[in-house]
Amino acid sequence: MKTTMTSLLLTALLGTTLSASAETVVIVSQKNPATRMFSEQASQFFLGKSAMFTPVDQAESSAIRADFYHKVADKDPAQVKAIWSKLVFTGKATPPKEYSSDAEVKKAVAADPKAIGYINKNSVDDSVKVILSLP
């Protein structure tokens, strides 16, 4: 019993370590002329302060989404939701479309030269280009 508990704890810790070390990257279509971006710029698009790019979001409950907003805007999911609720209520913006996986985000971004999204670095392929890395 003790060995099983230790094994479960070790597995949980290893899983946490692996996900915590995953690098998130901001991506755009290969057809987009952008080549790099700063975190402050990315936050402008994902918080509805600029319409230059069309943001594509991960699922609301995903760990990558919480990590992304923390890194680019120092906001937690509830704060981001409140910002978008206000923008939608006042008619100033439409919230980003949400996708449930890196593959879906990548596909949506690759298909739209104005789209911008974020995925795990390990999911990048030649259909998109990385313009910002968030370690």
Side-chain angles (χ1 to χ4, degrees):
M1 180 71 172
K2 189 174 183 181
T3 305
T4 304
M5 290 296 281
T6 303
S7 182
L8 287 172
L9 181 60
L10 193 56
T11 302
L13 289 173
L14 182 59
T16 303
T17 304
L18 289 175
S19 64
S21 67
E23 186 174 353
T24 300
V25 293
V26 176
I27 57 168
V28 294
S29 166
Q30 287 288 357
K31 297 173 188 157
N32 188 306
T35 56
R36 66 179 260 206
M37 182 177 289
F38 296 106
S39 294
E40 297 80 20
Q41 293 169 305
S43 75
Q44 298 293 307
F45 305 121
F46 284 93
L47 296 177
K49 295 179 182 176
S50 174
M52 179 188 264
F53 289 93
T54 304
V56 173
D57 233 336
Q58 295 271 1
E60 188 174 344
S61 61
S62 68
I64 191 172
R65 181 170 170 161
D67 185 58
F68 170 77
Y69 282 106
H70 175 71
K71 288 178 179 176
V72 300
D74 197 27
K75 305 269 186 232
D76 65 38
Q79 290 171 310
V80 173
K81 189 171 186 171
I83 290 167
W84 277 106
S85 293
K86 182 178 179 182
L87 289 170
V88 169
F89 181 74
T90 59
K92 293 182 180 176
T94 303
K97 184 162 182 172
E98 291 181 23
Y99 292 91
S100 61
S101 70
D102 283 356
E104 289 181 9
V105 169
K106 187 171 51 175
K107 183 177 178 182
V109 169
D112 181 356
K114 282 194 71 178
I116 185 170
Y118 56 91
I119 60 175
N120 186 299
K121 184 177 182 178
N122 297 335
S123 298
V124 173
D125 63 22
D126 62 356
S127 68
V128 295
K129 63 181 167 180
V130 175
I131 59 170
L132 174 63
S133 293
L134 303 165

